[in-house]
Amino acid sequence: MFGSLVDAPANSPHLRRSGSRAVVSDIGTVELGGSPVEALLHNIEVNEMKGVTTPLSTAAIMPSPVLLWRFKVLLFLIWGVSCCKISWDSVMRMSENLRDLFLYEAFLYYNPLLLMTMMVWFWGINLWVFAQANVNYTKIFDLDQNHLSHREIWKCATWMTMIVPTSMTAYLYLYSHGEVSLAASQPVLLYAAFAMALISPFDIFYLSSRYFFLRTVWRIVFPFQAISFADFFLADIFTSMSKVFSDLERSVCRMVHRQVATIAWFEADSVCGSHAVAIPIVLVLPYLFRLFQCLRQYKDTREKTTLLNALKYSTAVPVIFLSALKYHVFPDNWVNIYRPLWLLSGVVNSLYSFYWDLTRDWDLSCFTRIFKFSRPNALSYLLYGRKWVYFWVIGTNLILRCTWTYKLSSHLRHNYLTVFAITALEIFRRFQWAFFRVENEWNKMNSKQNIQLSTIDKPNDEQKLLDPNGYSV
């Protein structure tokens, strides 16, 4: 009995002398009563004896998140000021005769990507609000578990915000200093980099999300299958970016014909000029895609409202082509015949689209419910249940629907800054539209689920006869 071996825990106080250091067991437990600093040092010492490297506390190495965020903001401001300073000095080096024309060309190459960047920022805000309001947008758009969150969308937008102006600054600087060939390569390299990042088959740059986007674009262009919510939602966004796609086509056309940073593009009647036939064709394509989607929906559902929706998109066709006729008819015919028809078609389309937004795409009975966040937030307090939100969204939607005619009219494109501002406002209108369109779809899905649950829970006549107490079995 006394000669048998007795098992004692490794950290037992009976196995160490008085005043000695606590022994650490293999599971990492330390005897209570010691100093935390001594325990941490002893852990490191024991792990080094075992050949295990213990990293120091990340809180002791990494700076605070606030300090890191301030450092990033400082770097961003330094970058922005540097780009503005270099661009301004480069423009001032040019002669006054070529300055406006050169800025117009540079603006043509880079304004589509700037507007796309703006749309990505807005989409990140949309997703953030959906998450705060407990709107299950992953179910609405049928997204997988690897979909991008609002933080990842903002990360992409941040990189786009830095890359596009940097390329534009390099273009201005190189051209003003006589390096014409290097300046001409800047927009070409930028467009090629964006295209490769979008269609790259490698598992980088969010492959699953890029595949979902490209697959949705394919379904929009070729609507041979049933139309999902993501299909026509993205197609509606494309209609607001028709001017962006038109400028992209003109930019790529000049790159293909090697007209970047040359005087060949000054000719309006050239193959890539402002009077080209391709401009109205590219402008009308998003509306034709959306029209074909409505016809496909009518084929699948036989709902007459889809035909009325198709009629709405068809009203955009005369606005675009009547405007393009200005450069192909006599001036008297344009003033007396085609311009009044263009104005009439623009008014019809704007009012029809505005009516459809309010009566079909949005549900005014729960207009601001989407801003009821699950946690207290200043934005929710400012917007939820406020009457001014009604007036703001309805009023801005009407005004921007009317100015939409301006950006689709190719004969008004000479004032590129005005067209850029109107296109940016149209993207902002679509950003507002997305909140209430997704909310309306979410409410429809919830109502359908409630109806299905009520029909399942409701007992039929046979169950009532079998149950003498009148309860469902």
Side-chain angles (χ1 to χ4, degrees):
M1 164 175 170
F2 294 99
S4 62
L5 296 176
V6 179
D7 295 333
N11 58 349
S12 173
H14 301 288
L15 297 182
R16 60 185 176 89
R17 296 187 302 271
S18 176
S20 64
R21 190 179 300 172
V23 179
V24 182
S25 64
D26 291 337
I27 61 175
T29 57
V30 182
E31 182 183 2
L32 298 177
S35 172
V37 177
E38 293 180 358
L40 176 62
L41 293 175
H42 184 63
N43 282 335
I44 298 174
E45 181 181 321
V46 173
N47 287 331
E48 288 178 351
M49 295 175 60
K50 293 181 179 181
V52 179
T53 304
T54 302
L56 294 176
S57 174
T58 56
I61 299 177
M62 296 296 294
S64 64
V66 176
L67 182 62
L68 188 62
W69 182 82
R70 289 177 179 176
F71 180 70
K72 291 180 179 179
V73 172
L74 179 61
L75 290 180
F76 185 82
L77 292 177
I78 294 174
W79 164 83
V81 172
S82 301
C83 287
C84 293
K85 182 66 168 60
I86 295 174
S87 300
W88 178 262
D89 293 341
S90 301
V91 171
M92 291 297 104
R93 287 173 58 93
M94 304 177 190
S95 62
E96 296 183 0
N97 297 330
L98 294 178
R99 188 178 299 168
D100 292 338
L101 295 175
F102 178 75
L103 284 178
Y104 174 75
E105 184 195 19
F107 197 75
L108 174 66
Y109 300 138
Y110 291 100
N111 92 87
L113 300 180
L114 291 174
L115 291 171
M116 287 184 178
T117 303
M118 178 182 176
M119 188 72 245
V120 175
W121 277 111
F122 281 154
W123 180 240
I125 298 175
N126 286 134
L127 295 186
W128 176 76
V129 173
F130 296 154
Q132 296 294 320
N134 292 327
V135 175
N136 191 357
Y137 62 89
T138 58
K139 184 178 180 181
I140 296 175
F141 293 102
D142 194 20
L143 302 176
D144 58 14
Q145 59 182 358
N146 296 323
H147 70 277
L148 298 184
S149 65
H150 63 276
R151 296 183 182 275
E152 293 165 326
I153 294 292
W154 286 338
K155 185 183 297 184
C156 295
T158 302
W159 281 108
M160 294 174 67
T161 304
M162 297 182 66
I163 292 173
V164 176
T166 301
S167 176
M168 186 175 181
T169 302
Y171 178 76
L172 296 173
Y173 177 83
L174 292 172
Y175 188 89
S176 63
H177 286 76
E179 301 291 341
V180 180
S181 59
L182 290 178
S185 66
Q186 296 304 311
V188 177
L189 293 176
L190 181 64
Y191 276 59
F194 271 89
M196 292 178 62
L198 183 61
I199 65 176
S200 174
F202 303 105
D203 192 9
I204 55 176
F205 304 131
Y206 311 111
L207 177 61
S208 60
S209 298
R210 288 189 290 109
Y211 173 76
F212 178 83
F213 175 78
L214 294 175
R215 185 188 65 180
T216 306
V217 172
W218 178 269
R219 291 164 60 94
I220 292 173
V221 178
F222 303 101
F224 300 138
Q225 65 290 314
I227 307 301
S228 66
F229 182 81
D231 295 340
F232 69 77
F233 186 87
L234 183 61
D236 277 331
I237 293 177
F238 283 172
T239 59
S240 294
M241 302 182 69
S242 57
K243 171 64 170 55
V244 175
F245 298 142
S246 176
D247 287 344
L248 282 176
E249 182 274 329
R250 295 179 67 193
S251 300
V252 174
C253 178
R254 291 177 181 179
M255 294 175 190
V256 172
H257 291 84
R258 298 183 178 181
Q259 296 182 2
V260 182
T262 63
I263 62 174
W265 66 271
F266 291 167
E267 301 176 1
D269 295 326
S270 63
V271 64
C272 303
S274 59
H275 300 175
V277 181
I279 293 176
I281 294 177
V282 176
L283 283 173
V284 81
L285 280 178
Y287 299 93
L288 293 181
F289 293 151
R290 192 67 185 91
L291 186 148
F292 293 147
Q293 283 184 337
C294 295
L295 297 179
R296 172 68 196 201
Q297 284 182 308
Y298 176 75
K299 178 180 179 297
D300 295 336
T301 63
R302 295 297 175 180
E303 295 181 1
K304 294 183 179 180
T305 55
T306 57
L307 293 179
L308 297 176
N309 199 15
L311 179 62
K312 180 192 72 173
Y313 293 104
S314 66
T315 57
V317 178
V319 179
I320 296 172
F321 284 102
L322 286 174
S323 173
L325 283 177
K326 178 182 179 180
Y327 305 115
H328 305 283
V329 297
F330 293 107
D332 293 339
N333 292 337
W334 164 253
V335 174
N336 298 324
I337 301 175
Y338 296 108
R339 188 169 66 177
L341 291 176
W342 166 74
L343 291 173
L344 178 62
S345 60
V347 171
V348 170
N349 179 268
S350 299
L351 296 180
Y352 195 170
S353 302
F354 173 74
Y355 166 79
W356 196 271
D357 287 340
L358 265 62
T359 60
R360 299 293 181 178
D361 288 346
W362 299 345
D363 184 6
L364 299 183
S365 62
C366 52
F367 202 74
T368 57
R369 191 174 301 172
I370 196 172
F371 296 110
K372 187 178 181 180
F373 294 171
S374 56
R375 291 177 295 179
N377 189 283
L379 183 64
S380 178
Y381 177 77
L382 181 66
L383 299 179
Y384 176 67
R386 305 296 178 179
K387 291 184 178 180
W388 68 267
V389 178
Y390 284 85
F391 300 105
W392 167 262
V393 176
I394 294 176
T396 55
N397 191 73
L398 176 60
I399 295 173
L400 296 178
R401 277 294 188 183
C402 294
T403 56
W404 168 92
T405 304
Y406 191 100
K407 73 180 181 64
L408 285 185
S409 303
S410 56
H411 74 281
L412 300 175
R413 299 166 67 101
H414 57 277
N415 193 345
Y416 59 93
L417 291 179
T418 303
V419 176
F420 175 81
I422 292 177
T423 308
L425 290 174
E426 168 63 17
I427 292 177
F428 176 75
R429 187 199 66 81
R430 185 62 66 178
F431 158 72
Q432 292 185 148
W433 172 90
F435 286 124
F436 310 110
R437 185 65 188 88
V438 172
E439 179 190 26
N440 191 19
E441 186 67 19
W442 177 239
N443 292 331
K444 290 180 181 178
M445 294 177 65
N446 289 334
S447 62
K448 289 180 181 179
Q449 291 179 354
N450 294 333
I451 292 175
Q452 292 176 357
L453 291 176
S454 62
T455 56
I456 293 175
D457 294 339
K458 184 177 181 180
N460 53 27
D461 295 338
E462 184 178 354
Q463 289 175 336
K464 291 181 178 179
L465 292 175
L466 293 176
D467 185 13
N469 295 324
Y471 296 104
S472 59
V473 180

